[in-house]
Structures are given as structure tokens and as C-alpha cells.
Amino acid sequence: MNGQRLDKPVSHQHSVKEYYINSYSCSLLNLRSAVVCVVGQSCMNVSYTRQSVCALKGSTVNISCTFSHLKKLNATEEAWFNKWDSGVIIDLNQDPEYAGRVEYHRTTDKDSTLTVKDLRETDSAEYKFRFTTNKVTWGYSFPGTTLTVTDLQVRVTPGTGGKTLTCSTSCNLTDNSNLTYVWYKNGQRLDEPVSRQHSVKEYYTDSYSCSLLNLRSAVACVVGQSCMNVSYTHQSVCALKGSTVNISCTFSHLKKLNTTEEAWFNKWDSGVIIDLNQDPEYAGRVEYHRTTDKDSTLTVTDLRESDSAEYKFRFTSNKVTWGYSFPGTTLTVTDIQVKVTPATEEGKVNLTCITSCPLTDNSNTTYIWYKNGQHLTHQKTMTNYLILDPDSMEDRGRYSCGVKGLTNVHSPEFSVGEQRVTTGVIVGITVVVVILILCLSGFIWFSKKASKSTSDGPNTAVIGQTDSNPVYSNVSDMALTSTAAQTADTDHQFLLHYSSFHFSSSKKQEVSLYSTLQTLHPQKQEVPLYSTVQTFHP
């Protein structure tokens, strides 16, 4: 019931009471049925597409489910997880071990798919989905999907006239409908074999490996354990710019031969191979280490993006140089970026420190966050994500992230909340400017209208001359109030009114000015006194 096993029912029938949220399923020979609701079709349940999945190490896997809840409820939060024994459930999107390797997808409002990239053997676990409505969190009790991550191995068995090689896995791959097997002899690809088995003749120096979905197995010898081969710990490595990376391999040769020379290289297209110890680009940045007589580790410090390449190891015995044909380790050097996504809590945002490829050695990575250039020391900033509220004054600022131990490696800054402040200021300034423009336009329009009204009034006079230029130009102010209104003012009030200005010009005279000045003294008498002054310049 609701994903929990019931001990009492042991027959193929079971009687239950009606309850609208309850769901039931049954099993036989460890195989589970689909979930059914007791009442209607909208009880609370989670059903997974597969109970178990087998996938190759280094590949990508999809784990999917469908879920349902009461129609009157809404799903407000969704998450995938695979750890719950400690009582603390971590969303895989926030788990540092899965940083940059997980994605959630949906095709409807009642399904979810978890995608995990670059699978590792430590990813083998049971994966579950949970959803939260506005009243309850659901999904813990339902059995999830168990993922098993396996690698490829070459098994050598006796065969007719030689040996039989089998490309095998520890579990049956879930998606095996269109699998194509590729075989390699001494690192060189063989075009003919396409099945998971391959028959070969015995020869003491030969080594073989197989691949599936572009993922290679370890090398196996046809005879004994001392054939000529080189095997790398990782086919690919992702490391941060400015950090230090270790690329390692194991190698073997015939017991009767001795190794006289060893080297690492990453350039061979020109036909000239340069030992990295002698390459000026790596001067002072590379070291070789050994723990046994059959292994070697290349250490590169202060990584640069230009260091991204395929690295190979070669050894020379007293008769032959070996290692060119075997595939090496591909190194990708990445920087850090800040990815912004909506948080599960409405209105908040999630800042995640990401890289262009999943970091190979991510188990002990400690992330550091910076706000406005200052190191954040809060405990929650030790993870690769931050949940912030853009509307909070405390959370507003410029954020970047880095990794502990690499003080010179920072992501570009991302502003939280400041965009809204800037937008508000811009909008405010825009509104003020628009209002000023409207006011100015209105003022100009009224001014023109008043000027036009004045020019058409009875005090305007234009006297023409034979000259093409006007002789007199009159400007009159018709704002003078009536005499009755003027007499109502106080006795001490003095109003100065310019009735008109007369300008006269002719060909012989530059300017002939007639200036009439009228002063109005409000008195008790009905007729105001006008004083006229005329000035003439010959």
C-alpha cells in the first residue's frame, strides 16, 4: 500500500477500505505490478518505467517515472535522490558528486526523467523521485529504479585452434537492441568482427580490447599476462584551468625484455614525437612518477586551455618501442561559469557553479562563493550552489564562484537584484523626461498660439513702403486689463506697460526707432494718465 509492503495478504486477492489517496500494487517472483488507485484515478503514487537499469561506465542513462496526485492539489516541487539512509535527502541537482552530470526533463505535468552523464561505478544505487504538493511531500515509500554501472571486460577462453575472446559486462545492458561491438588488436581497430565474440590465434605478444558505444575495455593478453600493451586509468579527464592533473597508465612487456626508455607525449600528427619533458610549452609544468615498474603517472601543473589534448605513454625495450597505437587519455581543461535557474521557492533564484565538463576528481572539491569581490564564509556556500532572493536587500550584489586552493580561478560575475534596481531607475528617469518633454511642448504650443492672437489684434499695424523691407514693425501686448479693474488696485501699486515698439528702417537710415512708453498709475479718476516719449534718430 502506497509503496509499503503488507505482510498479511499472501493470496492473489486482497480486500481494502476505500480511501481516496491510497494506491496499491502487487508482486510475484520479485516482479512488481503497476500501481492502481482505490478511488478514482488521482490517488497519490509514483510509478517507475523500469525497476532496474544496467548501463556502461562512462555512458549516459535515463531513468523515468510517472506520478499522480489529487486534482485539487498542485505539485510545487520535484526532485530526484538516491541517498536517504541518514534521514537527510539531497536533491541530485545540488549534490557535488553529480555536479554538471544530471538533468531533469518533463514531457507532461505528470512525468519526470532523470539523465545522468559520464556514469561512474559509484553511481550504482537506487534512484527515487519525490514531489511536493501544497499539503504533503510524496514518493519516499515507493520503490525506485536500481541502477547498476558496469565496465567492459575481455574474457579469454580456449577455442578451436586458438582462443575465444568475449566482450562482456557484469549485467545485461538495458538498451542492447542496436549494440555494435568493435575489436582492437595491439591498439589497432579490426574492421571485421562485429559480434561480442571473436576467435584469434595464439601469439605471445598480442593484446586485444573491445569497445561498445565508443567505450573501451581494458586490454587482455591472448597468452599469459605479459603481452605488449598500455592501459590508461581514464579514457577522458576533465580538470580546471589553473589546477593540477594526474594522468596515469599501466603497461606490460615480455619478461625477457627490459624497459630502457619511457616518455609521455601529445603530438604525433607530424610524425615527430616530442617528449613533454622537452617541450618548451610545458617547461617547468610536467613531472613523471612511478610506483611500480609497470606504471607511470604524468603530472601537469598550472593547466591552460591549450593543454586540452590526447595524452599517450610509450616505452622502449631493447628491441621495440611500444605504445603509439593504443588510445590514450583525452584531457579537457575547463573554466568555471555561474548558471542561473529558478529555485523551487517562488521568486528566488538558484546560482550553480558549473564547468563545461564534469570534473573527474570532484569528490573533494570545495566550492567558494564571492559577493562583490568578498569571500562568503557562510556554511551553505561550501556547496556548488546558492539560493538567493533578488528582492532582498541582503542578497543583492555581484556573485562569482571558485574552488578552494585555486585563488586565481574565478567565474565571471553575475548580478542578483541589481538589474531590477537599475531598471527601476531607468524607468523613473524615462517618465520624468517624457513629462518634461510634454510640458515643454505644451508651453511652446501655447506661446505660439498667444503670439498669433497678438499679431491679429487691433493694435498691430504694418505700414508698407516701396522698399521691399518692412518699415515699421509693431508688437503689442493686449494683456492690459480694463480701466475699471485697474482702479480697484491699491494706490501704491505701480504697473509698467509697454504698449508698442516702433522700428523704422530705410536704405539711407540704418534704424529709425519710435519708442512709445506708457505708464499706468491707478488713480481714483476714471481716465488713466499716459506719458509718451518718442525718440527719433535721423
Side-chain angles (χ1 to χ4, degrees):
M1 180 179 76
N2 298 330
Q4 295 293 323
R5 177 172 176 167
L6 300 178
D7 295 328
K8 292 182 180 179
V10 292
S11 66
H12 75 288
Q13 287 187 330
H14 180 51
S15 298
V16 299
K17 293 182 179 180
E18 292 187 4
Y19 191 56
Y20 65 99
I21 68 170
N22 285 345
S23 63
Y24 287 83
S25 63
C26 63
S27 70
L28 188 63
L29 300 175
N30 293 324
L31 298 175
R32 294 282 287 270
S33 71
V35 172
V36 295
C37 300
V38 176
V39 179
Q41 301 295 322
S42 61
C43 57
M44 311 287 277
N45 74 77
V46 180
S47 298
Y48 295 86
T49 306
R50 299 180 185 275
Q51 295 182 28
S52 62
V53 172
C54 175
L56 278 175
K57 177 181 175 181
S59 67
T60 297
V61 69
N62 292 318
I63 300 174
S64 57
C65 73
T66 57
F67 62 96
S68 66
H69 52 75
L70 302 183
K71 292 182 179 179
K72 62 182 179 180
L73 303 179
N74 296 318
T76 58
E77 181 182 343
E78 302 166 18
W80 285 88
F81 59 99
N82 64 0
K83 299 173 185 175
W84 56 87
D85 292 338
S86 62
V88 178
I89 292 178
I90 302 177
D91 186 343
L92 291 179
N93 253 333
Q94 316 301 338
D95 192 336
E97 294 182 16
Y98 291 85
R101 298 197 296 128
V102 298
E103 292 178 359
Y104 298 167
H105 307 277
R106 296 182 64 182
T107 55
T108 70
D109 59 348
K110 293 295 178 66
D111 70 73
S112 183
T113 297
L114 164 69
T115 299
V116 185
K117 304 174 183 178
D118 189 26
L119 284 174
R120 305 165 184 175
E121 292 182 279
T122 54
D123 295 335
S124 296
E126 182 181 5
Y127 290 77
K128 289 187 177 185
F129 172 83
R130 72 172 182 181
F131 65 93
T132 301
T133 68
N134 45 2
K135 288 188 176 182
V136 66
T137 297
W138 210 264
Y140 298 95
S141 59
F142 293 93
T145 296
T146 300
L147 170 66
T148 302
V149 180
T150 181
D151 58 359
L152 285 173
Q153 293 182 342
V154 176
R155 289 190 292 108
V156 182
T157 56
T160 304
K163 296 290 183 71
T164 298
L165 307 180
T166 303
C167 194
S168 64
T169 55
S170 61
C171 57
N172 294 324
L173 297 177
T174 302
D175 186 12
N176 59 3
S177 56
N178 296 311
L179 297 181
T180 300
Y181 293 85
V182 178
W183 286 92
Y184 299 83
K185 176 182 178 181
N186 298 326
Q188 295 293 323
R189 176 172 176 165
L190 302 177
D191 295 329
E192 294 180 1
V194 292
S195 66
R196 62 191 299 262
Q197 287 190 328
H198 178 47
S199 297
V200 298
K201 294 181 179 180
E202 293 186 9
Y203 192 65
Y204 65 97
T205 64
D206 288 344
S207 64
Y208 286 83
S209 62
C210 66
S211 72
L212 196 60
L213 302 175
N214 293 323
L215 300 169
R216 295 279 287 269
S217 71
V219 171
C221 299
V222 176
V223 179
Q225 300 298 321
S226 61
C227 58
M228 309 289 279
N229 74 78
V230 180
S231 297
Y232 295 86
T233 306
H234 296 285
Q235 294 183 27
S236 61
V237 171
C238 176
L240 280 173
K241 181 175 67 174
S243 67
T244 297
V245 69
N246 292 318
I247 301 174
S248 57
C249 73
T250 58
F251 61 96
S252 65
H253 52 77
L254 301 182
K255 291 182 180 180
K256 61 182 180 180
L257 301 180
N258 295 319
T259 302
T260 57
E261 183 184 341
E262 302 169 16
W264 285 87
F265 60 99
N266 65 1
K267 300 173 184 175
W268 57 87
D269 293 337
S270 63
V272 178
I273 293 178
I274 301 176
D275 186 341
L276 291 178
N277 259 330
Q278 311 300 327
D279 192 334
E281 295 181 17
Y282 292 86
R285 297 197 297 127
V286 297
E287 292 180 1
Y288 300 165
H289 308 277
R290 295 183 63 180
T291 56
T292 70
D293 59 348
K294 294 294 179 67
D295 70 71
S296 182
T297 298
L298 164 69
T299 299
V300 185
T301 60
D302 189 23
L303 283 174
R304 307 165 184 173
E305 291 184 70
S306 59
D307 294 336
S308 297
E310 183 181 4
Y311 291 77
K312 289 186 177 186
F313 171 82
R314 69 175 182 179
F315 65 93
T316 302
S317 68
N318 48 1
K319 287 191 176 181
V320 66
T321 298
W322 210 265
Y324 297 97
S325 59
F326 292 94
T329 295
T330 300
L331 169 65
T332 302
V333 180
T334 179
D335 57 3
I336 304 178
Q337 300 289 333
V338 174
K339 178 183 178 182
V340 184
T341 56
T344 54
E345 188 174 345
E346 187 176 356
K348 294 188 177 182
V349 295
N350 187 5
L351 304 188
T352 307
C353 201
I354 63 170
T355 53
S356 61
C357 55
L359 297 179
T360 302
D361 186 11
N362 199 38
S363 56
N364 297 317
T365 301
T366 300
Y367 292 90
I368 300 174
W369 286 92
Y370 301 87
K371 179 182 178 182
N372 299 328
Q374 298 298 316
H375 181 198
L376 292 178
T377 57
H378 194 280
Q379 186 176 3
K380 70 178 181 179
T381 64
M382 303 298 283
T383 61
N384 69 319
Y385 70 96
L386 279 179
I387 297 178
L388 302 172
D389 184 359
D391 294 326
S392 169
M393 291 298 295
E394 181 181 357
D395 287 349
R396 287 178 180 173
R398 294 171 284 106
Y399 290 84
S400 63
C401 65
V403 173
K404 186 177 181 180
L406 298 175
T407 56
N408 60 332
V409 179
H410 288 191
S411 71
E413 289 187 329
F414 180 84
S415 295
V416 173
E418 294 182 346
Q419 305 98 318
R420 300 188 182 188
V421 175
T422 303
T423 302
V425 172
I426 293 175
V427 171
I429 293 174
T430 303
V431 170
V432 171
V433 171
V434 170
I435 292 175
L436 290 175
I437 292 175
L438 290 175
C439 292
L440 183 60
S441 300
F443 176 77
I444 294 174
W445 183 81
F446 280 113
S447 298
K448 288 184 178 180
K449 185 175 181 181
S451 176
K452 181 178 181 181
S453 299
T454 302
S455 63
D456 292 340
N459 289 338
T460 301
V462 177
I463 302 175
Q465 299 289 335
T466 56
D467 193 351
S468 60
N469 295 325
V471 177
Y472 298 101
S473 175
N474 296 338
V475 180
S476 301
D477 186 348
M478 302 301 294
L480 187 63
T481 56
S482 66
T483 303
Q486 297 168 17
T487 57
D489 294 335
T490 61
D491 293 341
H492 299 287
Q493 183 180 11
F494 178 82
L495 297 179
L496 181 62
H497 175 62
Y498 293 93
S499 176
S500 61
F501 291 92
H502 301 275
F503 298 93
S504 177
S505 63
S506 65
K507 294 181 180 180
K508 295 182 178 180
Q509 297 175 347
E510 292 183 359
V511 177
S512 179
L513 173 63
Y514 294 86
S515 176
T516 301
L517 176 64
Q518 296 177 333
T519 57
L520 175 62
H521 300 273
Q523 302 289 341
K524 293 183 179 179
Q525 66 268 24
E526 295 182 357
V527 180
L529 178 64
Y530 293 86
S531 177
T532 302
V533 178
Q534 292 182 334
T535 303
F536 177 75
H537 297 278

